[in-house]
Amino acid sequence: MGINMAGPGKAWRGALSLRQTMRRRTGREADEGAARPSSSVVRSAGERERWLAKTYERARGHLDQGQWQEALDNLEQIAQVEPHYQDSAALAAQAWEKARLAKAYSRGVDSLGNGELEAAVGYLSWVVNCSPDFQDAADRLRRDTYYNDTLVGT
């Protein structure tokens, strides 16, 4: 799966650097309504720990539901308060990798729909090479590209 095993510090720097790049490209910021701890909100170590646990569980829930961006938003909030909290750095790396795969998969499917066979093969091949079991990428690559090749006679 491509998880950065170099340690939480490097994993977070990589994930957060990629998130900053993504924000510049998409103009998307973290959820406006997301609760972020501040000195006025988190007054005690107990409150801080409860906030971290709640935000961590919310991130895990988003991961379980395949909501990669939402998971990254929550994990980034954790990193700002406690970068080494549980396995949050590894989870951020997983979420980032899944988000990249989902984006490439989506582009591949869109390319198929638009009749852009070469682009579709490129995107879906990359997804299958990175994660052979990702959704139905391998089946789409075999089935849809074969069908399109047959139609155009190549």
Side-chain angles (χ1 to χ4, degrees), residues 78-127:
I78 291 170
Q80 292 172 353
V81 174
E82 181 61 50
H84 304 290
Y85 186 77
Q86 295 188 20
D87 62 345
S88 57
L91 291 179
Q94 284 178 333
W96 179 253
E97 183 66 19
K98 291 289 188 177
R100 288 181 49 211
L101 289 167
K103 184 71 167 177
Y105 174 82
S106 176
R107 288 182 176 172
V109 170
D110 290 347
S111 295
L112 279 172
N114 295 331
E116 300 166 347
L117 185 58
E118 190 174 327
V121 168
Y123 285 121
L124 294 174
S125 293
W126 182 82
V127 170

Side-chain angles (χ1 to χ4, degrees), residues 1 7 12 25 30 33-34 47 64 69 79 101 107 111 118 126 128 134 139 145:
M1 172 176 320
W12 269 119
R25 289 182 184 161
E47 289 174 335
D64 291 344
Q69 185 62 52
L101 289 167
R107 288 182 176 172
S111 295
E118 190 174 327
W126 182 82
V128 170
F134 190 82
D139 289 338
T145 58

Side-chain angles (χ1 to χ4, degrees), residues 11-92:
W12 269 119
R13 282 192 299 276
L16 293 179
S17 172
L18 290 170
R19 294 229 338 115
Q20 290 168 350
T21 301
M22 185 171 63
R23 282 186 178 154
R24 283 194 299 271
R25 289 182 184 161
T26 64
R28 185 178 188 285
E29 290 296 325
D31 295 336
E32 297 296 322
R36 293 180 185 267
S38 67
S39 58
S40 63
V41 175
V42 180
R43 294 189 178 117
S44 72
E47 289 174 335
R48 180 176 177 269
E49 186 58 36
R50 281 189 296 278
W51 180 88
L52 285 166
K54 181 179 174 183
T55 305
Y56 179 84
E57 286 307 312
R58 195 168 41 244
R60 300 276 320 199
H62 288 306
L63 287 171
D64 291 344
Q65 295 174 10
Q67 299 169 335
W68 316 121
Q69 185 62 52
E70 292 83 356
L72 284 169
D73 289 344
N74 283 274
L75 292 165
E76 181 179 342
Q77 292 173 28
I78 291 170
Q80 292 172 353
V81 174
E82 181 61 50
H84 304 290
Y85 186 77
Q86 295 188 20
D87 62 345
S88 57
L91 291 179

